[in-house]
Amino acid sequence: MTDRHFHPTDAEQVREVVAWAAAEKQPLEILGGGSKRKLGRPVQSAQVLDVSGLAGVENYEPEELVITAKAATPLAEVEALLAESGQEFAFEPMDYGPLLGGEPGKATLGGMLAANLSGPKRLKHGAARDHVLGIHAVSGRGEVFKSGGTVVKNVTGYDLSRGLAGSWGTLAVTTAMSLKVLPAPPTEATVLIEGLADETAIDMLCRAMGTSCEAASAAHLPAGLAKGFADPAISAGGVSGDKPATLVRLEGFAPSVDYRFDKLAKLARETGPVQRIDADASRALWRAIRDVEPFWGDGTPVWRVSVAPACGAQFVAALRRTADFDAYYDWSGGLIWLRFPDGDPQAQAVRAAVEEAGGGHATLIRADAATRTGTDVFQPQDPALAALSRRLKAQFDPSGILNPGRMVAGV
């Protein structure tokens, strides 16, 4: 095999390519839809294993709440199929494509698992790893293996499936997977509170999440950020961008949503004026928040920072002492998106602020290749966790041929 761009069409061909690469010590960049190719450190490989030919839904049983598909099946295609049966991926995986300068809708199921995607409903439903029932994959040894099964009660090998989530293709090449799905909520509404400062807003969100109202999502947009939302339904729903917007999403049957909205509105009125955003505008709003739409359109550095929800405002305040940036909060303050308009990613300042806020994770999501090469894109691990990661890499990919350098230089 001398071709530097491999295009397998089934799992056996994937195994052959990986086995050859392992024997020849030839590193491979693993590529599916390419929507997240600019996320992470540039892969140290001139050869590409393009698995886009492994696409297609193999089995979908709506009554069993299970779908099985090949790894390169477009996520948008699967979501459209689920919607026809009134179902969804409850963790609402985000689409990184437009944020990274690409097209929307190019994400695949394999990339979804590799990045452990999620959206604003992670607070309630977790991330991709929490919905994987089983996988078929090829290790860096060129060995085919499977984990889990195709029914919700079958958890054999469940932790192995989870272990590959968030590994960014550095441990194995996933060829197919089974995932559980859930009924889509009949309707939704969003509580909008205007004019709150960051600390007051985060406190309000944490209080809302602590009630029995079963909020699905909670976010805060400082003044001006909502002007980056393109869908007119959002502004028609009441989010203008002129004032800070604190948001809590409720889902379910209409009478239940109405009851819980009134209960939360009563609590929220203690802090500021309250409005209701109904179903269509609410869905558009949370899609825009999920896909970081306010930060589309340029190549300036963007960070994704995860801290304890109650510490979100503290983190932003600490960072503002040394840097100028735009920010908004998701996950009740536990997820902060940052954009640095001047082009300097301020990596040292970001991670110092994370430590000051009690610890967490900061990932450089968008930056040019030179910056990503010279920066710890992913949160540096403590020595014990780094040693565990090296042992895991040695078990799955002892020759280091799968996406080398993408997460850590030289690994």
Side-chain angles (χ1 to χ4, degrees), residues 117-332:
L117 295 186
S118 61
K121 289 202 288 187
R122 182 166 184 161
L123 284 169
K124 185 176 182 180
H125 294 288
R129 67 184 176 193
D130 302 301
H131 297 255
V132 178
L133 299 174
I135 61 167
H136 286 75
V138 178
S139 74
R141 299 173 181 270
E143 299 170 339
V144 175
F145 67 94
K146 65 178 181 178
S147 171
T150 58
V151 295
V152 173
K153 291 183 180 179
N154 185 346
V155 295
T156 304
Y158 205 64
D159 287 343
L160 182 56
S161 301
R162 291 188 176 204
L164 297 185
S167 64
W168 292 90
T170 61
L171 298 180
V173 183
T174 303
T175 57
M177 67 184 69
S178 297
L179 300 114
K180 62 181 177 180
V181 300
L182 290 176
T187 191
E188 69 174 71
T190 294
V191 180
L192 165 62
I193 313 146
E194 290 189 325
L196 303 188
D198 288 10
E199 289 189 5
T200 305
I202 298 306
D203 179 68
M204 177 64 231
L205 294 177
C206 290
R207 290 168 61 197
M209 295 303 300
T211 69
S212 60
C213 292
E214 296 186 6
S217 309
H220 175 67
L221 309 172
L225 263 293
K227 292 181 179 179
F229 295 152
D231 195 322
I234 297 174
S235 56
V239 182
S240 65
D242 295 325
K243 298 179 181 179
T246 305
L247 308 156
V248 181
R249 175 164 57 169
L250 303 170
E251 295 181 325
F253 292 100
S256 173
V257 170
D258 293 343
Y259 171 79
R260 288 178 286 140
F261 180 90
D262 291 341
K263 188 174 180 178
L264 273 184
K266 183 178 180 180
L267 174 66
R269 287 190 184 100
E270 301 173 5
T271 56
V274 177
Q275 297 182 50
R276 175 169 173 146
I277 303 174
D278 283 315
D280 290 343
S282 177
R283 294 186 185 100
L285 171 62
W286 289 102
R287 278 195 302 271
I289 291 172
R290 179 196 72 181
D291 294 340
V292 201
E293 193 171 323
F295 296 166
W296 292 3
D298 61 37
T300 55
V302 170
W303 288 84
R304 181 184 187 273
V305 179
S306 178
V307 296
C311 298
Q314 176 187 342
F315 162 79
V316 170
L319 187 57
R320 288 205 188 281
R321 293 199 296 264
T322 58
D324 182 29
F325 56 91
D326 301 314
Y328 74 86
Y329 306 81
D330 198 355
W331 301 357
S332 191

Side-chain angles (χ1 to χ4, degrees), residues 68-115:
T68 300
K70 296 178 182 178
T73 307
L75 178 57
E77 177 184 315
V78 176
E79 290 179 321
L81 177 63
L82 297 177
E84 292 176 3
S85 296
Q87 297 179 345
E88 66 175 10
F89 288 135
F91 56 100
E92 57 176 2
M94 72 170 293
D95 184 351
Y96 273 113
L99 179 64
L100 298 175
E103 300 177 31
K106 297 295 185 181
T108 65
L109 290 183
M112 177 187 76
L113 179 63

